Amino acid sequence: MLVLSLYRQLVIEQQNQVDKHLAAEMQRYQQLALTVNRRSFAAQIRAADPKTALIAWRNSVDMVGALTFLPENMPQLPETKDFPIFTGGPDKLHILTGGLVITRYGPVLIATRTDQLATLIEKFINAAFWAVAFTLGLTLALGYIFSKAILRRLVEYNRLSEQIEAGHYETRLPVSESQDEFDMLARQFNLVLDTLELNLRAVRGVTDNIAHDLRTPLSHLRIGIELLSQKPASELADATAELLEELDHCLGTFDAMLSLTRIEEGQQTLDLQPVSLQQICQDLFEMAEVIAESRDQMLNISLEDDVYVNGDKYLLFQALFNLVDNAIKYSPDGATISIKQQGKHIQISDNGPGIIDEDKERVFDRLVRLDPSRHYKGTGLGLSMVKAILSRHKATISLHDNHPGLLVSIHFK
């Protein structure tokens, strides 16, 4: 399309040049006829350079100029007509374009050669052909090289994908310095692999924690069941109760995990209603005060600017009570625990041992317990449950140092 457009432009431009040249010569000889006599006019025609323009005039007796006769049916300029002439040179046939000009001494033929235009167009077509052929060849060569490079990268990606499929989740797709579309895809795929590997590690960690937490109670159950037959009838009731307590602990772990999954996945329907944050904090204080007093701890409460949030009152109370219960459980005797509510912001603080910065996010993972000795009974799902419940209520939770102790900050949107 570009070559065709250039070709048409070239033809139009050449035609315009011919028309302008003939028009200039026409004006010249018309003016010449008005200013000189017949003899001088004939002399000017004889002296005309045929390379510039071919001029022919029929005098009363003979032809004057470059031709021996005037071609038939020649139009008047600016209308033109092509006609051939024969010469004695190497190029015997010339093609001219011209027309007649009416002067006071009669019609004058003015023409110019246009066969050079055909030669020029032929050269242009040849040049355009080779240019197109070169461009096409270069495009095919570059396309082949580019396609081989793409195919090589696709083969590499396919090989690495097979490694990932085989279980080598640490495998990553290479990212080059070109930062092209393949690199963007590889970078995004690597992020997915990072998340997958992290999730797999979390699953393995949860599995290990479940095995660690349940191995002891299940072992106790097995030993207890084996010893039941050896116990006298008077001790059977107490032994059975101990076994049931161990069994309830195991079942409680699984029930807590199922409840956590249902809350995180949105499968548990919330009983939504307007909940007063001041009232829920007051209920929390009354419930936990007895527990704190049993350990000689001081439980304080501060309430300001009551607000209502749309939520499940039972689940919110469960989450907040878990935080206060942890503060009481892990703080020493005589410690001070505070509940502070101000608008949509709730803080629960203590002056216990606190949590180091490296563990402040990890404690929200499933079955994570910072007490390696398992001195305190629990499932390790409490804070996971708290975060899941607050997330369902579009609330955020963060842990901070209380210097000393821990400060839990909750904000409802």
Side-chain angles (χ1 to χ4, degrees), residues 107-405:
V108 177
L109 175 66
I110 300 177
T112 184
R113 284 186 64 179
T114 55
D115 48 1
Q116 299 97 332
L117 175 60
T119 303
L120 177 63
I121 292 175
E122 183 179 357
K123 291 181 179 179
F124 172 79
I125 292 176
N126 289 334
F129 170 78
W130 288 111
V132 170
F134 175 77
T135 302
L136 183 60
L138 181 62
T139 302
L140 291 176
L142 292 177
Y144 175 77
I145 295 173
F146 185 67
S147 63
K148 289 289 289 183
I150 292 178
L151 182 60
R152 184 167 55 251
R153 296 180 72 176
L154 289 176
V155 170
E156 177 68 8
Y157 286 178
N158 185 62
R159 183 183 65 82
L160 295 175
S161 298
E162 291 177 351
Q163 291 185 9
I164 296 170
E165 185 180 2
H168 301 283
Y169 300 112
E170 73 284 354
T171 304
R172 296 294 181 270
L173 300 185
V175 179
S176 66
E177 297 180 356
S178 60
Q179 303 298 318
D180 57 11
E181 291 80 1
F182 281 94
D183 293 320
M184 295 174 60
L185 179 63
R187 189 178 295 106
Q188 188 63 37
F189 193 72
N190 288 339
L191 290 177
V192 174
L193 289 175
D194 291 340
T195 303
L196 175 62
E197 189 175 15
L198 183 63
N199 291 336
L200 288 175
R201 289 178 181 175
V203 170
R204 293 190 184 104
V206 169
T207 304
D208 292 341
N209 287 333
I210 291 176
H212 190 279
D213 281 351
L214 296 185
R215 181 177 181 178
T216 299
L218 290 177
S219 298
H220 290 170
L221 280 173
R222 177 180 176 82
I223 296 172
I225 292 173
E226 290 178 348
L227 296 177
L228 275 180
S229 60
Q230 303 175 13
K231 291 184 179 295
S234 59
E235 298 180 5
L236 283 179
D238 293 338
T240 303
E242 292 179 2
L243 294 177
L244 288 175
E245 184 180 355
E246 294 284 355
L247 183 59
D248 288 341
H249 173 70
C250 296
L251 294 175
T253 300
F254 288 109
D255 288 341
M257 291 185 64
L258 291 174
S259 298
L260 176 58
T261 300
R262 285 194 293 266
I263 292 173
E264 288 179 337
E265 299 294 332
Q267 298 173 357
Q268 180 168 335
T269 304
L270 302 182
D271 182 16
L272 297 178
Q273 57 182 301
V275 179
S276 167
L277 292 186
Q278 272 195 8
Q279 185 60 51
I280 200 171
C281 288
Q282 185 64 43
D283 295 341
L284 185 65
F285 173 76
E286 294 174 0
M287 177 73 72
E289 187 178 22
V290 178
I291 304 174
E293 288 178 353
S294 67
R295 299 193 57 182
D296 295 328
Q297 294 173 337
M298 178 67 69
L299 183 62
N300 299 323
I301 186 170
S302 173
L303 305 175
E304 300 178 22
D305 303 327
D306 189 20
V307 296
Y308 284 80
V309 296
N310 196 35
D312 189 311
K313 184 176 181 180
Y314 169 76
L315 287 179
L316 285 176
F317 183 84
Q318 178 184 349
L320 295 175
F321 183 80
N322 188 291
L323 294 173
V324 176
D325 184 58
N326 281 349
I328 294 173
K329 181 188 300 182
Y330 293 104
S331 296
D333 294 346
T336 300
I337 294 96
S338 299
I339 303 171
K340 182 179 180 181
Q341 176 269 329
Q342 185 176 17
K344 293 184 177 181
H345 194 69
I346 296 177
Q347 288 183 345
I348 300 172
S349 60
D350 61 67
N351 54 4
I355 299 177
I356 61 176
D357 292 339
E358 290 79 4
D359 292 333
K360 282 187 172 63
E361 287 298 326
R362 194 171 69 90
V363 293
F364 292 109
D365 295 338
R366 294 189 179 197
L367 297 171
V368 170
R369 298 175 65 182
L370 302 183
D371 175 27
S373 65
R374 267 45 176 186
H375 177 72
Y376 298 99
K377 279 195 173 183
T379 62
L381 295 169
L383 290 180
S384 300
M385 186 76 71
V386 169
K387 189 169 185 178
I389 292 173
L390 294 177
S391 296
R392 284 293 303 275
H393 288 82
K394 296 181 174 58
T396 59
I397 180 172
S398 57
L399 306 182
H400 309 276
D401 289 329
N402 197 36
H403 305 293

